[in-house]
Every structure is written in structure tokens, then in C-alpha cells.
mmCIF file of all heavy atoms in Angstrom:
data_model
loop_
_atom_site.group_PDB
_atom_site.id
_atom_site.type_symbol
_atom_site.label_atom_id
_atom_site.label_comp_id
_atom_site.label_asym_id
_atom_site.label_seq_id
_atom_site.Cartn_x
_atom_site.Cartn_y
_atom_site.Cartn_z
ATOM 1 N N ALA A 109 2.629 -6.198 -2.622
ATOM 2 C CA ALA A 109 2.006 -4.864 -2.488
ATOM 3 C C ALA A 109 2.966 -3.870 -1.904
ATOM 4 O O ALA A 109 3.918 -4.229 -1.227
ATOM 5 C CB ALA A 109 0.753 -4.955 -1.610
ATOM 6 N N ALA A 110 2.740 -2.610 -2.183
ATOM 7 C CA ALA A 110 3.637 -1.547 -1.689
ATOM 8 C C ALA A 110 2.807 -0.253 -1.506
ATOM 9 O O ALA A 110 1.783 -0.047 -2.213
ATOM 10 C CB ALA A 110 4.837 -1.286 -2.536
ATOM 11 N N ILE A 111 3.311 0.616 -0.644
ATOM 12 C CA ILE A 111 2.697 1.911 -0.497
ATOM 13 C C ILE A 111 3.760 2.970 -0.440
ATOM 14 O O ILE A 111 4.783 2.825 0.299
ATOM 15 C CB ILE A 111 1.827 1.970 0.783
ATOM 16 C CG1 ILE A 111 1.121 3.351 0.922
ATOM 17 C CG2 ILE A 111 2.592 1.640 2.017
ATOM 18 C CD1 ILE A 111 -0.017 3.358 1.934
ATOM 19 N N ARG A 112 3.637 4.009 -1.263
ATOM 20 C CA ARG A 112 4.513 5.161 -1.228
ATOM 21 C C ARG A 112 3.755 6.226 -0.445
ATOM 22 O O ARG A 112 2.660 6.589 -0.774
ATOM 23 C CB ARG A 112 4.800 5.675 -2.670
ATOM 24 C CG ARG A 112 5.792 6.788 -2.755
ATOM 25 C CD ARG A 112 5.986 7.294 -4.186
ATOM 26 N NE ARG A 112 4.761 8.077 -4.521
ATOM 27 C CZ ARG A 112 4.641 8.707 -5.718
ATOM 28 N NH1 ARG A 112 5.641 8.649 -6.608
ATOM 29 N NH2 ARG A 112 3.558 9.367 -5.984
ATOM 30 N N TRP A 113 4.474 6.694 0.637
ATOM 31 C CA TRP A 113 3.777 7.597 1.517
ATOM 32 C C TRP A 113 3.353 8.910 0.802
ATOM 33 O O TRP A 113 2.271 9.472 1.107
ATOM 34 C CB TRP A 113 4.666 7.917 2.715
ATOM 35 C CG TRP A 113 5.026 6.691 3.498
ATOM 36 C CD1 TRP A 113 6.269 6.330 3.812
ATOM 37 C CD2 TRP A 113 4.157 5.721 4.069
ATOM 38 N NE1 TRP A 113 6.261 5.171 4.522
ATOM 39 C CE2 TRP A 113 4.951 4.755 4.690
ATOM 40 C CE3 TRP A 113 2.781 5.545 4.118
ATOM 41 C CZ2 TRP A 113 4.373 3.632 5.393
ATOM 42 C CZ3 TRP A 113 2.254 4.476 4.740
ATOM 43 C CH2 TRP A 113 3.032 3.553 5.372
ATOM 44 N N ARG A 114 4.164 9.383 -0.073
ATOM 45 C CA ARG A 114 3.855 10.577 -0.804
ATOM 46 C C ARG A 114 2.709 10.319 -1.742
ATOM 47 O O ARG A 114 2.813 9.547 -2.706
ATOM 48 C CB ARG A 114 5.058 11.108 -1.626
ATOM 49 C CG ARG A 114 4.851 12.351 -2.426
ATOM 50 C CD ARG A 114 6.128 12.844 -3.089
ATOM 51 N NE ARG A 114 5.904 14.029 -3.900
ATOM 52 C CZ ARG A 114 5.613 14.014 -5.160
ATOM 53 N NH1 ARG A 114 5.501 12.887 -5.815
ATOM 54 N NH2 ARG A 114 5.455 15.160 -5.823
ATOM 55 N N GLY A 115 1.556 10.928 -1.460
ATOM 56 C CA GLY A 115 0.376 10.742 -2.259
ATOM 57 C C GLY A 115 -0.408 9.483 -1.969
ATOM 58 O O GLY A 115 -1.422 9.245 -2.557
ATOM 59 N N TRP A 116 0.098 8.717 -0.969
ATOM 60 C CA TRP A 116 -0.575 7.473 -0.523
ATOM 61 C C TRP A 116 -0.792 6.620 -1.764
ATOM 62 O O TRP A 116 -1.902 6.075 -1.990
ATOM 63 C CB TRP A 116 -1.889 7.813 0.176
ATOM 64 C CG TRP A 116 -2.394 6.672 1.025
ATOM 65 C CD1 TRP A 116 -3.282 5.676 0.715
ATOM 66 C CD2 TRP A 116 -2.015 6.400 2.397
ATOM 67 N NE1 TRP A 116 -3.519 4.838 1.749
ATOM 68 C CE2 TRP A 116 -2.724 5.248 2.829
ATOM 69 C CE3 TRP A 116 -1.190 7.039 3.327
ATOM 70 C CZ2 TRP A 116 -2.598 4.758 4.116
ATOM 71 C CZ3 TRP A 116 -1.065 6.510 4.578
ATOM 72 C CH2 TRP A 116 -1.783 5.371 4.968
ATOM 73 N N TRP A 117 0.237 6.462 -2.572
ATOM 74 C CA TRP A 117 0.176 5.666 -3.756
ATOM 75 C C TRP A 117 0.422 4.198 -3.455
ATOM 76 O O TRP A 117 1.395 3.872 -2.816
ATOM 77 C CB TRP A 117 1.191 6.180 -4.757
ATOM 78 C CG TRP A 117 1.236 5.454 -6.051
ATOM 79 C CD1 TRP A 117 2.061 4.439 -6.427
ATOM 80 C CD2 TRP A 117 0.410 5.689 -7.187
ATOM 81 N NE1 TRP A 117 1.752 4.000 -7.695
ATOM 82 C CE2 TRP A 117 0.739 4.783 -8.203
ATOM 83 C CE3 TRP A 117 -0.586 6.592 -7.453
ATOM 84 C CZ2 TRP A 117 0.132 4.728 -9.401
ATOM 85 C CZ3 TRP A 117 -1.250 6.542 -8.704
ATOM 86 C CH2 TRP A 117 -0.859 5.628 -9.675
ATOM 87 N N THR A 118 -0.457 3.354 -3.935
ATOM 88 C CA THR A 118 -0.317 1.928 -3.717
ATOM 89 C C THR A 118 -0.184 1.152 -4.969
ATOM 90 O O THR A 118 -0.703 1.568 -6.045
ATOM 91 C CB THR A 118 -1.538 1.427 -2.917
ATOM 92 O OG1 THR A 118 -2.744 1.662 -3.634
ATOM 93 C CG2 THR A 118 -1.656 2.045 -1.524
ATOM 94 N N GLU A 119 0.527 0.058 -4.910
ATOM 95 C CA GLU A 119 0.665 -0.849 -6.017
ATOM 96 C C GLU A 119 0.443 -2.281 -5.534
ATOM 97 O O GLU A 119 0.735 -2.640 -4.399
ATOM 98 C CB GLU A 119 2.088 -0.740 -6.592
ATOM 99 C CG GLU A 119 2.467 0.575 -7.213
ATOM 100 C CD GLU A 119 3.795 0.541 -7.858
ATOM 101 O OE1 GLU A 119 4.141 -0.444 -8.565
ATOM 102 O OE2 GLU A 119 4.591 1.570 -7.697
ATOM 103 N N TYR A 120 -0.099 -3.058 -6.414
ATOM 104 C CA TYR A 120 -0.378 -4.463 -6.104
ATOM 105 C C TYR A 120 0.024 -5.371 -7.252
ATOM 106 O O TYR A 120 -0.060 -4.951 -8.430
ATOM 107 C CB TYR A 120 -1.864 -4.681 -5.878
ATOM 108 C CG TYR A 120 -2.373 -3.927 -4.670
ATOM 109 C CD1 TYR A 120 -2.961 -2.645 -4.854
ATOM 110 C CD2 TYR A 120 -2.334 -4.465 -3.416
ATOM 111 C CE1 TYR A 120 -3.473 -1.952 -3.756
ATOM 112 C CE2 TYR A 120 -2.805 -3.780 -2.307
ATOM 113 C CZ TYR A 120 -3.370 -2.499 -2.476
ATOM 114 O OH TYR A 120 -3.890 -1.811 -1.411
ATOM 115 N N ALA A 121 0.487 -6.540 -6.937
ATOM 116 C CA ALA A 121 0.705 -7.580 -7.932
ATOM 117 C C ALA A 121 -0.644 -8.001 -8.530
ATOM 118 O O ALA A 121 -1.706 -7.936 -7.808
ATOM 119 C CB ALA A 121 1.355 -8.804 -7.366
ATOM 120 N N GLU A 122 -0.726 -8.332 -9.779
ATOM 121 C CA GLU A 122 -1.926 -8.725 -10.417
ATOM 122 C C GLU A 122 -2.649 -9.846 -9.700
ATOM 123 O O GLU A 122 -3.868 -9.965 -9.638
ATOM 124 C CB GLU A 122 -1.718 -9.129 -11.873
ATOM 125 C CG GLU A 122 -1.424 -7.896 -12.764
ATOM 126 C CD GLU A 122 -2.633 -6.989 -12.894
ATOM 127 O OE1 GLU A 122 -3.745 -7.439 -12.944
ATOM 128 O OE2 GLU A 122 -2.393 -5.759 -12.982
ATOM 129 N N SER A 123 -1.847 -10.703 -9.126
ATOM 130 C CA SER A 123 -2.369 -11.934 -8.490
ATOM 131 C C SER A 123 -3.134 -11.627 -7.202
ATOM 132 O O SER A 123 -3.890 -12.469 -6.682
ATOM 133 C CB SER A 123 -1.225 -12.909 -8.172
ATOM 134 O OG SER A 123 -0.254 -12.290 -7.381
ATOM 135 N N VAL A 124 -2.875 -10.444 -6.628
ATOM 136 C CA VAL A 124 -3.545 -10.098 -5.340
ATOM 137 C C VAL A 124 -4.529 -8.930 -5.459
ATOM 138 O O VAL A 124 -5.191 -8.618 -4.407
ATOM 139 C CB VAL A 124 -2.495 -9.852 -4.244
ATOM 140 C CG1 VAL A 124 -1.565 -10.941 -4.124
ATOM 141 C CG2 VAL A 124 -1.809 -8.522 -4.477
ATOM 142 N N LYS A 125 -4.597 -8.283 -6.589
ATOM 143 C CA LYS A 125 -5.458 -7.130 -6.742
ATOM 144 C C LYS A 125 -6.904 -7.534 -6.409
ATOM 145 O O LYS A 125 -7.364 -8.610 -6.743
ATOM 146 C CB LYS A 125 -5.388 -6.618 -8.163
ATOM 147 C CG LYS A 125 -4.157 -5.736 -8.441
ATOM 148 C CD LYS A 125 -4.240 -5.152 -9.870
ATOM 149 C CE LYS A 125 -3.067 -4.231 -10.126
ATOM 150 N NZ LYS A 125 -3.111 -3.669 -11.495
ATOM 151 N N GLU A 126 -7.585 -6.578 -5.785
ATOM 152 C CA GLU A 126 -9.012 -6.734 -5.347
ATOM 153 C C GLU A 126 -9.185 -7.735 -4.213
ATOM 154 O O GLU A 126 -10.318 -7.955 -3.782
ATOM 155 C CB GLU A 126 -9.901 -7.076 -6.536
ATOM 156 C CG GLU A 126 -9.865 -6.050 -7.654
ATOM 157 C CD GLU A 126 -10.851 -6.351 -8.801
ATOM 158 O OE1 GLU A 126 -11.260 -7.534 -8.881
ATOM 159 O OE2 GLU A 126 -11.129 -5.462 -9.569
ATOM 160 N N ARG A 127 -8.136 -8.292 -3.745
ATOM 161 C CA ARG A 127 -8.184 -9.211 -2.571
ATOM 162 C C ARG A 127 -7.363 -8.699 -1.395
ATOM 163 O O ARG A 127 -7.730 -8.918 -0.254
ATOM 164 C CB ARG A 127 -7.687 -10.563 -2.943
ATOM 165 C CG ARG A 127 -8.538 -11.262 -4.070
ATOM 166 C CD ARG A 127 -8.192 -12.751 -4.216
ATOM 167 N NE ARG A 127 -6.793 -12.936 -4.598
ATOM 168 C CZ ARG A 127 -5.883 -13.565 -3.911
ATOM 169 N NH1 ARG A 127 -6.157 -14.078 -2.726
ATOM 170 N NH2 ARG A 127 -4.666 -13.690 -4.357
ATOM 171 N N PHE A 128 -6.236 -8.054 -1.706
ATOM 172 C CA PHE A 128 -5.333 -7.576 -0.642
ATOM 173 C C PHE A 128 -5.423 -6.051 -0.614
ATOM 174 O O PHE A 128 -5.602 -5.379 -1.629
ATOM 175 C CB PHE A 128 -3.877 -7.933 -0.895
ATOM 176 C CG PHE A 128 -3.581 -9.427 -0.776
ATOM 177 C CD1 PHE A 128 -4.590 -10.367 -0.648
ATOM 178 C CD2 PHE A 128 -2.265 -9.846 -0.768
ATOM 179 C CE1 PHE A 128 -4.287 -11.695 -0.540
ATOM 180 C CE2 PHE A 128 -1.974 -11.226 -0.660
ATOM 181 C CZ PHE A 128 -2.971 -12.131 -0.542
ATOM 182 N N THR A 129 -5.232 -5.498 0.587
ATOM 183 C CA THR A 129 -5.201 -4.027 0.749
ATOM 184 C C THR A 129 -4.037 -3.675 1.677
ATOM 185 O O THR A 129 -3.961 -4.217 2.789
ATOM 186 C CB THR A 129 -6.501 -3.529 1.334
ATOM 187 O OG1 THR A 129 -7.561 -3.851 0.505
ATOM 188 C CG2 THR A 129 -6.416 -1.967 1.477
ATOM 189 N N ILE A 130 -3.163 -2.798 1.237
ATOM 190 C CA ILE A 130 -2.051 -2.328 2.018
ATOM 191 C C ILE A 130 -2.365 -0.964 2.651
ATOM 192 O O ILE A 130 -2.997 -0.124 2.031
ATOM 193 C CB ILE A 130 -0.727 -2.226 1.194
ATOM 194 C CG1 ILE A 130 0.437 -2.001 2.121
ATOM 195 C CG2 ILE A 130 -0.813 -1.183 0.122
ATOM 196 C CD1 ILE A 130 1.800 -2.134 1.394
ATOM 197 N N SER A 131 -1.971 -0.767 3.894
ATOM 198 C CA SER A 131 -2.198 0.473 4.592
ATOM 199 C C SER A 131 -1.075 0.635 5.623
ATOM 200 O O SER A 131 -0.331 -0.297 5.853
ATOM 201 C CB SER A 131 -3.586 0.536 5.269
ATOM 202 O OG SER A 131 -3.750 -0.492 6.258
ATOM 203 N N GLY A 132 -1.002 1.831 6.269
ATOM 204 C CA GLY A 132 0.004 2.023 7.229
ATOM 205 C C GLY A 132 0.050 3.426 7.798
ATOM 206 O O GLY A 132 -0.846 4.204 7.560
ATOM 207 N N ASP A 133 1.088 3.672 8.555
ATOM 208 C CA ASP A 133 1.329 4.951 9.150
ATOM 209 C C ASP A 133 2.797 5.394 8.889
ATOM 210 O O ASP A 133 3.707 4.779 9.436
ATOM 211 C CB ASP A 133 1.055 4.848 10.664
ATOM 212 C CG ASP A 133 1.088 6.199 11.392
ATOM 213 O OD1 ASP A 133 1.833 7.113 10.910
ATOM 214 O OD2 ASP A 133 0.468 6.327 12.388
ATOM 215 N N SER A 134 2.982 6.376 8.068
ATOM 216 C CA SER A 134 4.348 6.751 7.699
ATOM 217 C C SER A 134 5.109 7.322 8.861
ATOM 218 O O SER A 134 6.304 7.152 8.957
ATOM 219 C CB SER A 134 4.214 7.832 6.572
ATOM 220 O OG SER A 134 3.597 9.007 7.055
ATOM 221 N N ALA A 135 4.418 7.974 9.787
ATOM 222 C CA ALA A 135 5.104 8.557 10.955
ATOM 223 C C ALA A 135 5.631 7.451 11.910
ATOM 224 O O ALA A 135 6.653 7.658 12.604
ATOM 225 C CB ALA A 135 4.164 9.483 11.726
ATOM 226 N N LYS A 136 5.035 6.300 11.883
ATOM 227 C CA LYS A 136 5.420 5.249 12.769
ATOM 228 C C LYS A 136 6.165 4.151 12.025
ATOM 229 O O LYS A 136 6.618 3.188 12.692
ATOM 230 C CB LYS A 136 4.173 4.636 13.423
ATOM 231 C CG LYS A 136 3.435 5.640 14.345
ATOM 232 C CD LYS A 136 2.226 4.995 14.982
ATOM 233 C CE LYS A 136 1.480 5.904 15.873
ATOM 234 N NZ LYS A 136 0.291 5.297 16.504
ATOM 235 N N ASN A 137 6.266 4.231 10.731
ATOM 236 C CA ASN A 137 6.920 3.202 9.936
ATOM 237 C C ASN A 137 6.249 1.846 10.202
ATOM 238 O O ASN A 137 6.928 0.855 10.505
ATOM 239 C CB ASN A 137 8.420 3.155 10.180
ATOM 240 C CG ASN A 137 9.171 4.318 9.599
ATOM 241 O OD1 ASN A 137 8.924 4.679 8.470
ATOM 242 N ND2 ASN A 137 10.106 4.875 10.380
ATOM 243 N N THR A 138 4.953 1.857 10.165
ATOM 244 C CA THR A 138 4.195 0.611 10.236
ATOM 245 C C THR A 138 3.383 0.411 8.971
ATOM 246 O O THR A 138 2.945 1.315 8.328
ATOM 247 C CB THR A 138 3.229 0.637 11.464
ATOM 248 O OG1 THR A 138 2.347 1.690 11.333
ATOM 249 C CG2 THR A 138 4.039 0.765 12.784
ATOM 250 N N VAL A 139 3.190 -0.891 8.644
ATOM 251 C CA VAL A 139 2.402 -1.172 7.446
ATOM 252 C C VAL A 139 1.604 -2.523 7.690
ATOM 253 O O VAL A 139 2.144 -3.439 8.322
ATOM 254 C CB VAL A 139 3.285 -1.304 6.235
ATOM 255 C CG1 VAL A 139 4.304 -2.422 6.355
ATOM 256 C CG2 VAL A 139 2.511 -1.464 4.933
ATOM 257 N N ASP A 140 0.420 -2.533 7.235
ATOM 258 C CA ASP A 140 -0.455 -3.736 7.351
ATOM 259 C C ASP A 140 -0.805 -4.261 5.988
ATOM 260 O O ASP A 140 -0.783 -3.503 4.959
ATOM 261 C CB ASP A 140 -1.728 -3.409 8.081
ATOM 262 C CG ASP A 140 -1.514 -2.982 9.524
ATOM 263 O OD1 ASP A 140 -0.442 -3.288 10.073
ATOM 264 O OD2 ASP A 140 -2.392 -2.300 10.101
#
């Protein structure tokens, strides 16, 4: 999974879609 901060665009591998969720804070460079 990945998140592009511009536009809060997220991508997921097909194997994890609908099961995994990526999120974070661009100002703090943290991601969950």
C-alpha cells in the first residue's frame, strides 16, 4: 500500500484491497 500526500491518493495491491487501509500525517512523516 502507498499514500501520496498530494490529494491523499492511496494505492493498494490487489491482494490487500478492502482489507488494509493506509493513513498518515504528511507533516510528521508518519504512516499507519
Side-chain angles (χ1 to χ4, degrees):
I111 182 166
R112 187 185 70 178
W113 302 124
R114 179 175 179 269
W116 201 267
W117 180 264
T118 58
E119 296 185 43
Y120 298 93
E122 287 295 323
S123 58
V124 309
K125 282 185 176 179
E126 300 183 345
R127 298 190 299 119
F128 291 11
T129 302
I130 189 170
S131 62
D133 187 333
S134 62
K136 298 180 179 179
N137 288 315
T138 60
V139 64
D140 296 339

